[in-house]
Amino acid sequence: MVKVYNKYKKGRVKHMEHNVAEITKVINKVLQEMGAVETQPANTGKEIPIGVSNRHIHLTQADVETLFGKGYELTKLKDLSQPGQYACKETLTIVGPSLRPIENVRVLGPLRPESQVEISRTDSFTLKVKPPVRESGKISGSAPITIIGPKGVVTLKEGCIIANRHIHMSLEDGAKYGVKDNEYVTVDACGERKTRFFDVQVRVSDKFRLEMHLDTDDANAAGLKNGSKVSIVK
Amino acid sequence: MVKVYNKYKKGRVKHMEHNVAEITKVINKVLQEMGAVETQPANTGKEIPIGVSNRHIHLTQADVETLFGKGYELTKLKDLSQPGQYACKETLTIVGPSLRPIENVRVLGPLRPESQVEISRTDSFTLKVKPPVRESGKISGSAPITIIGPKGVVTLKEGCIIANRHIHMSLEDGAKYGVKDNEYVTVDACGERKTRFFDVQVRVSDKFRLEMHLDTDDANAAGLKNGSKVSIVK
């Protein structure tokens, strides 16, 4: 023990002397460990409100016109929490190889350069599609899916994904929480079933507002709803 | 640092000298901590296979007869992994205040002293019922729900729950993994979306076989399926 500690001390002590907060955290962890291992989620004070993302569709103008008719324009229903993003009046039906359609899937605006359908893994079993877990917009090689509209049908060769767990942050919140754009963090949730989410992508931009987006599987697993608070562990 | 370490050493060193595995775990944790805080799930070697529980129904003989007719007996379809438990040929429809029925809900045997409907939180939104998260069998004060059968309807005043996360273990596995009946542990899952489940109840009995039961919300959130392996952190 002493030998290992000395070796550890030698290599690390310089760094450690300059990092009291880090050391305190380590010692807390060691002490916890000797009692019972961390069996409760952390509350670090770095709180984030939850936004639950139900299945939804982003469309190109070309696909809007195939689905709703030539010259058709989407109608805003209400603004979403991220600046510039909105829910549209329009909903569509999606279908996959199971031929069991899912109806009333909300279209979100604004228009995108590529159409994309975001579903949960639960939905993927209903549809019998195999979408990868992805960051929104990264659809290369993702699953095919068919979208049915009142005036036409669009079959995407790729574009169906399960969204990754991610956090939107303003530049100010990025600085406040000490995280950079595209960093991955760990998040603890104290809902009715306590859960830690690993590998949560952080997106920091002056276009964003502080919010963690979870799909309905993650939210329902942990017992979280819109406005529930979670905590960044790191 | 030295002062805290000495205090820590004084009280703990006797215990530590007799517990090399524990010390190794602590040191590993400290070293991990000095790099980046534990941002990946632990693999402790204490592996458990997953069994995903879809929504299902347990029935009393009286309720079987109301739903299927006087004198009716359930028919075994196939054995489940827990000894003595089986899926029945019979399925039923459940409905709540939304009046949107969920069809083809599997009945499980054997008969129980009280009827019980286990659903996911996702299902609870479809049905508009508010079941508590509970251990199976603990239905006092749980949600009401209606079960529709070919010969009759049963409305349970209570009996609808969301199952808690739990692990079944034989006496041998309980000893091997160092956990007691009714202990609560923390479990890490390295599926497509890495997740830590806190507050997982362990049931140790000579009637059980090693398996962690998750409902479809938890399984789909973490990207786990039947036979996926998870790891007890403690």
Side-chain angles (χ1 to χ4, degrees), chain A residues 28-230:
Chain A
N28 273 333
K29 207 123 192 174
V30 171
L31 295 174
Q32 261 178 38
E33 185 80 31
M34 294 312 296
V37 184
E38 185 187 16
T39 56
Q40 288 302 314
N43 187 342
T44 58
K46 294 181 178 176
E47 276 199 342
I48 316 264
I50 289 290
V52 180
S53 299
N54 203 344
R55 62 183 80 95
H56 61 269
I57 302 173
H58 301 281
L59 292 173
T60 62
Q61 180 57 28
D63 286 344
V64 167
E65 297 196 18
T66 303
L67 292 161
F68 295 101
K70 191 152 179 59
Y72 190 91
E73 287 184 17
L74 294 173
T75 313
K76 185 192 285 193
L77 176 68
K78 61 169 186 175
D79 285 317
L80 299 177
S81 58
Q82 295 307 310
Q85 305 296 306
Y86 53 91
C88 299
K89 195 174 58 63
E90 291 80 5
T91 61
L92 293 161
T93 292
I94 56 176
V95 66
S98 70
L99 306 185
R100 292 172 64 195
I102 296 180
E103 302 173 16
N104 301 315
V105 184
R106 184 70 53 190
V107 178
L108 301 190
L111 295 168
R112 292 241 184 147
E114 291 177 304
S115 292
Q116 176 179 303
V117 177
E118 294 180 47
I119 63 173
S120 67
R121 190 173 300 274
T122 299
D123 293 338
S124 80
F125 294 132
T126 304
L127 299 167
K128 281 210 188 342
V129 294
K130 293 189 173 172
V133 174
R134 287 286 179 83
E135 179 184 348
S136 181
K138 299 273 172 75
I139 60 164
S140 174
S142 63
I145 193 155
T146 295
I147 309 172
I148 303 169
K151 293 289 172 63
V153 171
V154 168
T155 293
L156 302 178
K157 283 185 184 158
E158 56 187 22
C160 181
I161 64 167
I162 296 172
N164 68 351
R165 299 160 174 169
H166 62 276
I167 295 170
H168 294 277
M169 270 192 201
S170 66
L171 301 179
E172 294 71 24
D173 286 321
K176 185 176 149 198
Y177 289 178
V179 292
K180 294 187 204 75
D181 186 41
N182 212 32
E183 194 173 335
Y184 282 74
V185 298
T186 300
V187 171
D188 276 1
C190 293
E192 194 165 9
R193 294 198 295 198
K194 292 174 186 166
T195 306
R196 172 169 291 183
F197 301 112
F198 296 97
D199 299 337
V200 179
Q201 186 185 28
V202 181
R203 301 307 315 267
V204 181
S205 159
D206 57 6
K207 291 187 193 69
F208 292 150
R209 188 171 296 160
L210 188 67
E211 192 171 51
M212 177 168 184
H213 285 178
L214 290 178
D215 69 15
T216 46
D217 285 342
D218 273 335
N220 292 340
L224 301 170
K225 54 188 183 180
N226 280 327
S228 294
K229 293 293 199 323
V230 295

